Amino acid sequence: MEEPTGRLTQKKVAIVGGGLVGALNACYFAKRGFDVEVFETREDIRQAKVVKGRSINLALSHRGRQALKHVGMEDKIVSQGIPMHARMIHSPSGKQSPIPYGKKGQFILSVDRANLNKELLTEAETYPNMKMNFDHKLKDWSPETGLMTFTRLDGSHDQIQADLIVACDGAFSAIRKQFLRRSRFNYSQTYIPHGYMELTMPPVNGEFAMKPNYLHIWPRNTFMMIALPNLDKTFTCTLFMPFDEFEKITTEDEVMEFFQEYFPDTIPLIGVDALKRDYFRLPGQAMVSIKCSPYHIGDKCVLMGDAAHAVVPFYGQGMNAGFEDCIVFDEIMEQLNEDFSAVLPEYTRVRVPDDHAIADLAMYNYIEMRAHVNSKWFLFRKHLDNFLHFFLPNTIVPLYTMVTFTRTRYHKAVDRWQWQDKVINRGLLFGATGAVLGGSYLLIKNPPDINKLIIPTEKMWARLMSFWTS
Amino acid sequence: MEEPTGRLTQKKVAIVGGGLVGALNACYFAKRGFDVEVFETREDIRQAKVVKGRSINLALSHRGRQALKHVGMEDKIVSQGIPMHARMIHSPSGKQSPIPYGKKGQFILSVDRANLNKELLTEAETYPNMKMNFDHKLKDWSPETGLMTFTRLDGSHDQIQADLIVACDGAFSAIRKQFLRRSRFNYSQTYIPHGYMELTMPPVNGEFAMKPNYLHIWPRNTFMMIALPNLDKTFTCTLFMPFDEFEKITTEDEVMEFFQEYFPDTIPLIGVDALKRDYFRLPGQAMVSIKCSPYHIGDKCVLMGDAAHAVVPFYGQGMNAGFEDCIVFDEIMEQLNEDFSAVLPEYTRVRVPDDHAIADLAMYNYIEMRAHVNSKWFLFRKHLDNFLHFFLPNTIVPLYTMVTFTRTRYHKAVDRWQWQDKVINRGLLFGATGAVLGGSYLLIKNPPDINKLIIPTEKMWARLMSFWTS
């Protein structure tokens, strides 16, 4: 930790929610020298016996790492994660083929959600101007005065008055309910028809059951399974499937039939008994995409993380986007001298288009991961994009690279992707048309004389590219 | 009214909201013989001195009329409306040009919202199995038991248990709040950047100040004004404008400057004093588009009208869609023998795509009405569509006609429109390309000999059309 900035009148910042984004934000605001209090409904997860809900591991990438770096946490968290350099596609026949995430040396990290949360809470507590309150459930609050009332476990009430309320209370945010009651608040929540279920693949002879440095994917069109490695040499498998498919499987035999048909290679690795037992432990869990705007009310309250933008998990950006919220807010605080009445509207203006873009991208990938990963065209385009990126590193940057390995604003990444896609597709169309026309012309003019065929020179290709990209 | 159907055990239907859709639904359910009670938060508008909020007049078209017809109300309501056969476009220079809504004899009706609501309430009260409760504000309800608690004006409570709760309580539905708390409920509310303001144009010498049988439109790109005729020979003018533009006008002089620049022809008709006074009576009012799904919980509760699908007012279909909800629900009740456990899911399945389609169309027209009505291409396409509809009445039906003058399902109308649009645009492109290529060819082969130009015969055109539409 670093020393807080000196300040004459300490303003009070209340952070609602002590999850990943709440705990990281506590570090950010404490580092700026504010009088920070965090209020979390649940008990301290560092003392909890069972950590309920949410997925077990997450993919940490560039944006998240940059946000951790700012509070000196990057190296520690990275050392506790497992690098994944590529997707490993499992075909129905059991064949495995890797598709790299980016260039050599670029990877994403599989990190343990609970452990990351604990580390962030412990880091936040090193700031003397930060106070942590667990078992505090928000009862009521006023966007006009900043007065908040919490109910403690014993039923007693706790009141505090904050200069700024930072809502990091997740997809089902209690704070956001007041936003919904106000006029001109745009809001959407969309549940996808798929649910998810987590299954554990244990180590084999003390080692990972599959290659550890990959995000394993079993794409099966209407559904799919993925697996991420954990530090304890297990894999957490997540099965994504439409709810009505989940409901069709009601007996242990049906579970086995289903896995036999679609994921036969995983049966010996997960284990027959574990599979039969764990499949029925919990029903399929719902996934929601939430978008809203504005993110603030006056100069008193701002939504961040999942409270502002819950995304479906298919781009691996939920936590990264939430962590980047902290940097973006901090940058605007710096620019506008911590004047909340200017910072909050600016944060809404700057951040809404980016969060909406990543929510849309995650939804797009929800289709792509299940279906296209199997298609020849998709694989061809992935390879072509990587190839073009290698030769024209500043002109053609794959979308996944911009999202995962840079801090290019999400909405700019989408704009650029659409532009690149148009250019590449036009180039392909142009090339194909040219080839057909040229070929026909030559065949008509000079029948069967193979020596007359023109092979385009590298210079011709370069000129063609520069024409289409200009 | 007609006699209710005989029934052994009378099921209780509670309708929440006594607005347009609630009152019409009361007639529908009472006609089926249910024990119906309507609960309305406000006082009886038939006794109210001031009717607050919402627009003054509405456009009634085919779907709404069909719904009224089913309960024998069509003729009465039509006789109290004013037919509008065409849009009357006012250019900035004051020129007026009509664009018909459909074929000769097709028109929409300007009806008074408050009067229509009163007529429907009075009609509902003619059923002996219908009870009306005003000043009843919903406090709590259970989707499991159908138990509802209302608070009366005097603070006392009223409890009833219903077999079916029909929520017709508008865009800000109190019933819908419980839906939002449940998992897998999709919901979106989108406020548009425009607000609206109503101004009255009084009669001139006891007669309408403008031609009465038109919906007058002043399209001005970023904003617009419309005017609908009333039975008392006034027009209600509605100004649609972005909120930030409303906020720029703060003095009487600025109001006059603004009208002088954009709507000079309306100044003498509205009157200088009235304009200066009425502009500041109320601020710009917000407009919201709401979509959600599913519309029901179990076999106990269903959302209808604005509670299920508030739309922006730019297609004139808000009330018509709400009234059509009543017919569609009634048709499904008939098909499925009034078995709520089957009727409610079926209603969601059938009606959601249509309501979402009309919400999207209204949003689309929000752009079209302001901007495209001024463009030459838009006018050309409107005329071309009407022309093609005249010659090929079963193949090409303008979207506006399908939406306004038929009961074609909204989402089918949109599908068909997109198909027609593709066909017509391809036809135009094909025609244009053919003309250019043919022309060039002729010019090259036979320079300046005008007699060689080929004029396509009617038969050629017919074959061309049948090719593109096959």
Side-chain angles (χ1 to χ4, degrees):
Chain A
M1 68 151 283
E2 298 169 37
E3 277 303 299
T5 325
R7 180 182 307 269
L8 285 175
T9 53
Q10 261 197 329
K11 282 193 173 170
K12 187 166 204 95
V13 174
I15 294 172
V16 181
L20 296 175
V21 176
L24 180 60
N25 246 335
C27 300
Y28 270 77
F29 283 97
K31 192 177 167 191
R32 286 203 161 266
F34 289 101
D35 175 12
V36 179
E37 284 202 51
V38 173
F39 300 90
E40 166 60 46
T41 304
R42 292 166 300 181
E43 60 181 323
D44 187 342
I45 53 163
R46 290 165 298 180
Q47 274 115 53
K49 278 175 199 146
V50 186
V51 180
K52 272 179 290 188
R54 306 308 298 273
S55 65
I56 291 164
N57 42 26
L58 296 158
L60 176 67
S61 54
H62 183 71
R63 292 168 207 263
R65 288 177 64 163
Q66 288 299 107
L68 292 169
K69 190 179 188 176
H70 184 78
V71 291
M73 297 279 293
E74 187 189 14
D75 293 342
K76 188 173 197 176
I77 300 304
V78 167
S79 73
Q80 297 169 0
I82 300 175
M84 300 183 289
H85 298 273
R87 313 158 184 88
M88 181 66 88
I89 310 297
H90 293 242
S91 78
S93 69
K95 199 183 145 227
Q96 298 185 26
S97 357
I99 305 177
Y101 278 121
K103 287 188 281 200
K104 210 172 147 79
Q106 285 183 325
F107 56 85
I108 61 176
L109 284 149
S110 173
V111 298
D112 182 278
R113 172 193 290 270
N115 178 63
L116 176 55
N117 205 158
K118 288 173 191 172
E119 292 284 2
L120 287 170
L121 289 171
T122 301
E123 174 66 18
E125 280 179 343
T126 62
Y127 291 89
N129 50 331
M130 209 291 310
K131 190 186 163 204
M132 206 64 89
N133 306 276
F134 295 100
D135 295 320
H136 273 63
K137 189 177 157 69
L138 183 72
K139 186 174 177 282
D140 201 13
W141 68 284
S142 158
E144 279 74 36
T145 62
L147 190 72
M148 317 174 77
T149 311
F150 295 93
T151 309
R152 289 206 209 84
L153 255 198
D154 61 11
S156 66
H157 291 158
D158 206 352
Q159 276 205 328
I160 75 135
Q161 183 137 21
D163 295 295
L164 178 66
I165 299 166
V166 184
C168 306
D169 51 347
F172 304 102
S173 171
I175 291 277
R176 203 181 51 218
K177 292 202 176 94
Q178 286 249 9
F179 280 67
L180 264 171
R181 276 184 232 133
R182 300 174 83 88
S183 187
R184 299 178 64 193
F185 178 64
N186 293 324
Y187 175 79
S188 77
Q189 62 180 44
T190 309
Y191 284 86
I192 58 174
H194 281 61
Y196 74 89
M197 173 180 285
E198 293 186 324
L199 300 164
T200 301
M201 186 183 284
V204 175
N205 301 326
E207 271 311 313
F208 281 105
M210 303 183 295
K211 290 186 179 169
N213 294 115
Y214 295 91
L215 192 157
H216 294 263
I217 309 184
W218 292 257
R220 297 294 181 268
N221 293 316
T222 53
F223 51 89
M224 71 164 178
M225 192 158 73
I226 64 168
L228 274 79
N230 301 310
L231 275 187
D232 64 1
K233 312 256 164 130
T234 61
F235 275 95
T236 303
C237 305
T238 310
L239 172 63
F240 297 96
M241 194 157 70
F243 279 101
D244 43 12
E245 297 287 329
F246 271 120
E247 283 152 20
K248 277 186 202 154
I249 299 172
T250 56
T251 67
E252 294 184 354
D253 285 349
E254 284 165 348
V255 175
M256 294 316 298
E257 268 170 50
F258 174 74
F259 270 76
Q260 203 61 257
E261 187 169 353
Y262 296 106
F263 314 111
D265 56 340
T266 67
I267 297 176
L269 303 180
I270 298 176
V272 173
D273 290 344
L275 202 52
K276 286 180 177 172
R277 183 187 62 231
D278 293 351
Y279 187 92
F280 297 103
R281 213 165 33 91
L282 277 175
Q285 303 292 300
M287 282 168 284
V288 67
S289 181
I290 290 175
K291 295 197 275 188
C292 67
S293 171
Y295 287 162
H296 70 285
I297 297 181
D299 60 353
K300 279 282 184 299
C301 182
V302 63
L303 305 175
M304 287 168 85
D306 281 4
H309 51 86
V311 302
V312 291
F314 305 102
Y315 224 110
Q317 284 291 310
M319 170 185 63
N320 291 289
F323 280 6
E324 197 181 39
D325 287 351
C326 304
I327 322 184
V328 172
F329 194 87
D330 195 69
E331 286 166 351
I332 295 169
M333 287 280 274
E334 196 61 36
Q335 283 160 29
L336 300 174
N337 294 316
E338 303 184 350
D339 170 5
F340 297 150
S341 68
V343 168
L344 269 52
E346 179 65 4
Y347 179 72
T348 285
R349 194 189 68 79
V350 168
R351 196 59 178 159
V352 164
D354 291 322
D355 289 335
H356 286 199
I358 191 60
D360 293 342
L361 272 182
M363 202 59 113
Y364 169 83
N365 237 32
Y366 158 53
I367 299 154
E368 179 171 292
M369 273 180 92
R370 278 177 296 135
H372 302 173
V373 168
N374 274 334
S375 95
K376 291 244 161 54
W377 174 252
F378 174 81
L379 290 174
F380 169 71
R381 273 307 305 273
K382 280 268 167 207
H383 288 301
L384 179 65
D385 290 1
N386 286 336
F387 174 80
L388 291 173
H389 179 46
F390 182 77
F391 280 103
L392 304 161
N394 298 316
T395 309
I396 303 291
V397 184
L399 177 62
Y400 192 88
T401 299
M402 288 190 276
V403 169
T404 309
F405 301 120
T406 77
R407 273 199 61 210
T408 306
R409 289 183 61 184
Y410 288 123
H411 89 275
K412 293 270 181 200
V414 171
D415 287 351
R416 186 163 168 172
W417 168 54
Q418 288 169 341
W419 173 83
Q420 288 180 175
D421 226 45
K422 214 163 67 180
V423 166
I424 295 172
N425 282 334
R426 273 192 195 167
L428 290 171
L429 184 71
F430 190 77
T433 313
V436 169
L437 287 177
S440 314
Y441 179 79
L442 288 170
L443 279 168
I444 293 162
K445 282 279 184 191
N446 313 297
D449 183 353
I450 204 75
N451 298 320
K452 287 275 172 69
L453 277 173
I454 293 172
I455 307 295
T457 63
E458 273 187 69
K459 204 173 150 198
M460 281 170 69
W461 277 116
R463 284 183 61 188
L464 202 64
M465 275 310 301
S466 77
F467 171 70
W468 280 111
T469 56
S470 65
Chain B
M1 67 154 282
E2 297 169 39
E3 276 303 299
T5 325
R7 179 183 307 268
L8 285 175
T9 54
Q10 259 197 331
K11 282 193 173 170
K12 188 167 203 92
V13 174
I15 295 172
V16 181
L20 296 175
V21 176
L24 181 60
N25 246 335
C27 300
Y28 271 76
F29 283 97
K31 192 176 168 190
R32 286 203 162 268
F34 289 101
D35 175 12
V36 180
E37 283 202 52
V38 173
F39 300 89
E40 165 60 46
T41 304
R42 293 167 301 182
E43 60 180 326
D44 187 341
I45 54 163
R46 290 166 297 181
Q47 272 116 56
K49 277 175 199 147
V50 187
V51 180
K52 272 179 290 188
R54 307 306 299 271
S55 65
I56 291 164
N57 42 28
L58 297 158
L60 176 67
S61 54
H62 184 71
R63 292 168 206 263
R65 286 178 64 164
Q66 288 299 107
L68 291 169
K69 190 178 185 176
H70 184 79
V71 290
M73 296 279 291
E74 187 190 14
D75 293 342
K76 186 172 198 178
I77 300 304
V78 168
S79 73
Q80 295 168 0
I82 299 175
M84 300 182 289
H85 298 272
R87 314 158 184 88
M88 181 66 86
I89 310 296
H90 294 244
S91 78
S93 68
K95 200 184 144 224
Q96 299 186 24
S97 356
I99 306 178
Y101 278 120
K103 287 189 281 200
K104 209 172 146 80
Q106 285 183 325
F107 57 86
I108 60 178
L109 284 150
S110 173
V111 298
D112 183 277
R113 172 194 288 273
N115 178 64
L116 175 55
N117 204 157
K118 289 173 191 173
E119 292 285 2
L120 287 169
L121 289 172
T122 301
E123 174 67 19
E125 280 179 344
T126 61
Y127 292 90
N129 50 332
M130 211 288 311
K131 189 185 163 204
M132 206 65 86
N133 305 277
F134 293 100
D135 296 319
H136 272 62
K137 189 178 159 69
L138 184 73
K139 186 174 177 285
D140 201 13
W141 68 283
S142 159
E144 280 73 36
T145 61
L147 189 71
M148 319 174 76
T149 312
F150 294 92
T151 309
R152 288 207 210 85
L153 255 198
D154 61 12
S156 66
H157 292 158
D158 206 351
Q159 276 205 328
I160 76 135
Q161 183 137 20
D163 295 293
L164 179 66
I165 299 167
V166 183
C168 307
D169 52 347
F172 304 101
S173 171
I175 292 277
R176 203 180 54 219
K177 291 202 177 90
Q178 287 248 12
F179 280 66
L180 264 171
R181 276 184 231 134
R182 300 174 84 89
S183 188
R184 299 177 65 192
F185 178 64
N186 293 324
Y187 176 77
S188 78
Q189 61 180 45
T190 308
Y191 284 86
I192 57 173
H194 281 62
Y196 74 89
M197 175 181 284
E198 293 186 325
L199 300 163
T200 301
M201 187 183 283
V204 174
N205 303 326
E207 271 311 314
F208 281 106
M210 303 183 297
K211 289 184 179 172
N213 293 115
Y214 295 91
L215 192 156
H216 294 263
I217 309 184
W218 292 258
R220 296 294 182 268
N221 294 313
T222 53
F223 49 87
M224 71 165 178
M225 193 159 74
I226 64 168
L228 275 78
N230 301 310
L231 274 188
D232 65 1
K233 312 258 164 126
T234 60
F235 275 96
T236 303
C237 305
T238 309
L239 172 62
F240 296 96
M241 192 157 70
F243 279 101
D244 44 12
E245 297 286 330
F246 270 121
E247 283 153 20
K248 277 186 203 155
I249 298 171
T250 56
T251 67
E252 293 184 354
D253 285 350
E254 284 165 349
V255 174
M256 294 315 298
E257 268 170 52
F258 174 74
F259 270 77
Q260 202 62 257
E261 188 170 351
Y262 296 106
F263 314 111
D265 55 339
T266 67
I267 298 176
L269 303 180
I270 298 175
V272 174
D273 291 342
L275 202 51
K276 287 179 177 174
R277 183 187 62 230
D278 294 350
Y279 187 91
F280 297 103
R281 212 163 35 91
L282 278 174
Q285 303 291 300
M287 282 169 284
V288 68
S289 181
I290 290 175
K291 294 197 274 189
C292 66
S293 170
Y295 286 162
H296 69 287
I297 297 181
D299 60 352
K300 279 281 184 300
C301 182
V302 62
L303 305 175
M304 287 169 84
D306 280 5
H309 51 85
V311 302
V312 292
F314 306 101
Y315 224 109
Q317 285 292 310
M319 170 185 65
N320 291 289
F323 280 7
E324 197 181 40
D325 287 351
C326 304
I327 320 184
V328 172
F329 194 88
D330 195 69
E331 286 166 351
I332 295 170
M333 287 279 277
E334 195 61 37
Q335 284 160 26
L336 300 174
N337 295 317
E338 302 183 352
D339 170 5
F340 297 150
S341 69
V343 168
L344 268 52
E346 179 65 4
Y347 179 71
T348 285
R349 193 188 68 76
V350 168
R351 196 59 179 160
V352 164
D354 291 323
D355 288 335
H356 286 199
I358 191 60
D360 293 342
L361 272 183
M363 202 60 112
Y364 169 82
N365 237 32
Y366 158 53
I367 298 154
E368 178 171 296
M369 273 180 92
R370 280 177 293 136
H372 302 175
V373 168
N374 273 333
S375 94
K376 290 245 159 56
W377 174 253
F378 174 82
L379 289 175
F380 168 69
R381 275 303 307 273
K382 280 268 166 206
H383 288 301
L384 179 65
D385 290 3
N386 286 336
F387 173 81
L388 291 171
H389 180 44
F390 181 77
F391 280 103
L392 303 160
N394 298 317
T395 309
I396 303 291
V397 185
L399 176 62
Y400 192 88
T401 298
M402 288 189 275
V403 169
T404 310
F405 301 121
T406 77
R407 273 199 62 210
T408 307
R409 289 182 61 185
Y410 288 124
H411 89 274
K412 294 272 182 199
V414 171
D415 287 352
R416 182 161 172 177
W417 169 52
Q418 288 169 340
W419 173 84
Q420 290 179 175
D421 225 45
K422 214 162 68 182
V423 166
I424 295 171
N425 282 333
R426 272 192 195 168
L428 289 172
L429 184 70
F430 190 76
T433 315
V436 169
L437 287 177
S440 313
Y441 180 79
L442 288 171
L443 278 169
I444 293 161
K445 282 278 185 190
N446 314 297
D449 184 352
I450 205 75
N451 298 319
K452 287 273 169 71
L453 278 172
I454 293 170
I455 307 296
T457 62
E458 274 189 67
K459 204 174 155 197
M460 282 170 71
W461 277 116
R463 284 182 62 187
L464 203 65
M465 274 310 301
S466 76
F467 172 70
W468 281 110
T469 56
S470 65

